[in-house]
Amino acid sequence: MKAKRIEELMTAMKSFGKESYHKSELLNEMFALQQEIVELAFSGDHAATAELKIWDVERHLERLNADCGNIADEELARFMKGSKVLCNLIKAEISGNRGEYKAFKTLEYLKSQNRVLRNVELSDGDVRTELDAVVITPKCATIVEVKNTSKNIFIDEEGNYYRTGEFLKWDSNIAERMSVKEGLLRKVLESAGYGHIQIRSIIVFTNNRIEVQNKYREIRTSFVSQLAYIIDGYRLDDSMAAEEMDSIQKIIKDAECKEGYPFEFDVNQYKANFATLMATLEFAKKHETEAEIEEELVIQSEKTSKKMTFTSVMRALFTSKQFKYAGSTAAAVVVSVASGIIAVNTIGKGGFL
């Protein structure tokens, strides 16, 4: 029965039904998975499940587990570990989208003629990368890398990127990452006969309340308010006419990698962890409820000396405190348990079944 219930819960979750996804699809799929988890956890018992999030499910299941004597501690720990990863992925995607929106709005203030491409995905064999924006002006093509963070940033002499606080937390070697982006863009332009076009890169921070220390001279950093000014101010000779800018824009678009890729999070395992946890708690609660019902019926039977009728048993049961808080789980076992008690009562008093 428990295995069947796990299968039912797994089947009910339809999100992430494909093997690979384009980046633009991921946030909607993660939201869909979150909503499925919420609805299955609360089973319609909450009036506003659309407003609930994964952490509401965690608190709800923690309470249920405590009520059941912590019978599912291991299952709960596995689910919460996966939930933490999923929530961080959702937050990172939302944060990134907000940061990119701010940067894209700022680019509208460019005074130079320009062509802006957003979220350009390029690949070369096994190497794949995303360029948050490529800005084409008469002077050059500029790769814009957007960072939306609340932490202070330190970039050392070798291009290592750290978030700072009480301790330095290494994120990546941003120099290598930007080199890959520039290399792939360069290859696209060279293959179309535009190898002479100059490429510039800039890392833009959308939160101007943080501090950024950049010791790596090959990378330009700025806050979003400075972005348009910097691109307009490059001290380079104009090398592209409007027609060439249009041509380069088309070349980059045509070179984009349209294929999806596997999601970095093991969704199937996360679903299985949730389904196992839910089934474990549901069956524990069901058995607990059945025991409470039987105990209450025995008590009611002992309290009266006259033969109990089915109606009197049912009335006692449905007005009892145990049944009041047992919920819908109790309904399936009421008749069978009540009938058993009546049978025992009747036989014990010399009656007939």
Side-chain angles (χ1 to χ4, degrees), residues 33 57 66 91 99 112 115 134 188 267 271 277 282 289-290 340:
L33 175 59
V57 174
K91 287 189 288 186
S112 307
R115 309 289 186 270
V134 178
V188 168
V267 175
K271 289 180 178 180
L277 172 59
E282 286 175 356
T289 301
E290 289 175 355

Side-chain angles (χ1 to χ4, degrees), residues 1-2 10 57 60 66 77 81 86 123 157 196 226 264 290 300 320 323 343:
M1 292 295 291
K2 181 178 175 181
M10 291 286 290
V57 174
H60 175 63
K81 182 178 179 180
L86 178 61
S123 66
E157 292 83 352
H196 62 283
Q226 304 167 304
E264 61 185 282
E290 289 175 355
Q300 293 296 334
S320 70
F323 187 83

Side-chain angles (χ1 to χ4, degrees), residues 136 194 196-197 239-249:
I136 305 166
Y194 285 94
H196 62 283
I197 300 300
S239 59
M240 286 183 279
E243 294 78 9
E244 289 179 297
M245 292 167 61
D246 291 336
S247 179
I248 290 174
Q249 182 181 34

Side-chain angles (χ1 to χ4, degrees), residues 211-245:
E211 294 182 2
V212 178
Q213 297 184 60
N214 180 15
K215 301 289 186 180
Y216 189 72
R217 294 183 178 181
E218 302 301 316
I219 293 179
R220 180 82 182 260
T221 58
S222 79
F223 290 105
V224 69
S225 58
Q226 304 167 304
L227 180 58
Y229 174 79
I230 290 172
I231 294 176
D232 279 332
Y234 282 134
R235 296 173 179 263
L236 302 169
D237 294 332
D238 290 355
S239 59
M240 286 183 279
E243 294 78 9
E244 289 179 297
M245 292 167 61

Side-chain angles (χ1 to χ4, degrees), residues 2-16 33 36-37 40 61 72 74-80 82-83 86 265-281:
K2 181 178 175 181
K4 183 178 179 181
R5 178 54 177 158
I6 292 174
E7 184 179 351
E8 289 175 353
L9 290 166
M10 291 286 290
T11 303
M13 292 180 275
K14 307 295 185 183
S15 59
F16 285 99
L33 175 59
E36 288 171 346
I37 295 291
L40 289 171
L61 296 183
E74 292 184 7
E75 293 87 345
L76 180 63
R78 285 195 293 268
F79 170 69
M80 293 183 70
S83 295
L86 178 61
F265 180 61
D266 191 341
V267 175
N268 287 334
Q269 184 60 58
Y270 179 67
K271 289 180 178 180
N273 291 343
F274 169 73
T276 302
L277 172 59
M278 281 293 296
T280 301
L281 293 175

Side-chain angles (χ1 to χ4, degrees), residues 165-176:
E166 185 177 354
F167 304 100
L168 285 177
K169 184 176 181 180
W170 184 83
D171 180 275
S172 63
N173 188 292
I174 196 69
E176 293 178 358

Side-chain angles (χ1 to χ4, degrees), residues 132-327:
D132 293 335
V134 178
V135 183
I136 305 166
T137 64
K139 299 181 184 295
C140 64
T142 302
I143 298 172
V144 178
E145 175 76 2
V146 181
K147 297 292 186 184
N148 186 21
T149 178
S150 60
K151 298 291 186 180
N152 294 333
I153 300 299
F154 174 69
I155 303 174
D156 69 16
E157 292 83 352
E158 297 179 352
N160 289 299
Y161 182 96
Y162 298 91
R163 292 183 175 89
T164 68
E166 185 177 354
F167 304 100
L168 285 177
K169 184 176 181 180
W170 184 83
D171 180 275
S172 63
N173 188 292
I174 196 69
E176 293 178 358
R177 292 180 60 183
M178 296 306 293
S179 178
V180 170
K181 295 175 190 292
E182 186 172 331
L184 290 182
L185 180 58
R186 172 67 64 193
K187 187 170 183 177
V188 168
L189 295 179
E190 287 178 347
S191 65
Y194 285 94
H196 62 283
I197 300 300
Q198 297 196 61
I199 298 176
R200 292 288 185 270
S201 296
I202 183 169
I203 302 175
V204 180
F205 295 91
T206 58
N207 182 0
N208 59 12
R209 293 186 295 274
I210 66 171
E211 294 182 2
V212 178
Q213 297 184 60
N214 180 15
K215 301 289 186 180
Y216 189 72
R217 294 183 178 181
E218 302 301 316
I219 293 179
R220 180 82 182 260
T221 58
S222 79
F223 290 105
V224 69
S225 58
Q226 304 167 304
L227 180 58
Y229 174 79
I230 290 172
I231 294 176
D232 279 332
Y234 282 134
R235 296 173 179 263
L236 302 169
D237 294 332
D238 290 355
S239 59
M240 286 183 279
E243 294 78 9
E244 289 179 297
M245 292 167 61
D246 291 336
S247 179
I248 290 174
Q249 182 181 34
K250 184 178 185 305
I251 289 167
I252 296 174
K253 282 185 176 181
D254 291 344
E256 280 197 78
C257 179
K258 303 296 195 301
E259 297 179 1
Y261 50 91
F263 187 32
E264 61 185 282
F265 180 61
D266 191 341
V267 175
N268 287 334
Q269 184 60 58
Y270 179 67
K271 289 180 178 180
N273 291 343
F274 169 73
T276 302
L277 172 59
M278 281 293 296
T280 301
L281 293 175
E282 286 175 356
F283 276 79
K285 188 64 177 176
K286 177 183 176 182
H287 294 154
E288 178 183 294
T289 301
E290 289 175 355
E292 288 178 348
I293 291 171
E294 186 170 356
E295 181 182 358
E296 177 66 16
L297 285 171
V298 170
I299 293 172
Q300 293 296 334
S301 175
E302 292 174 348
K303 283 183 178 179
T304 177
S305 59
K306 63 181 181 179
K307 183 174 74 173
M308 296 183 73
T309 66
F310 184 82
T311 302
S312 64
V313 171
M314 295 299 285
R315 182 182 299 112
L317 172 63
F318 277 89
T319 56
S320 70
K321 180 179 179 182
Q322 284 82 354
F323 187 83
K324 180 179 179 182
Y325 292 102

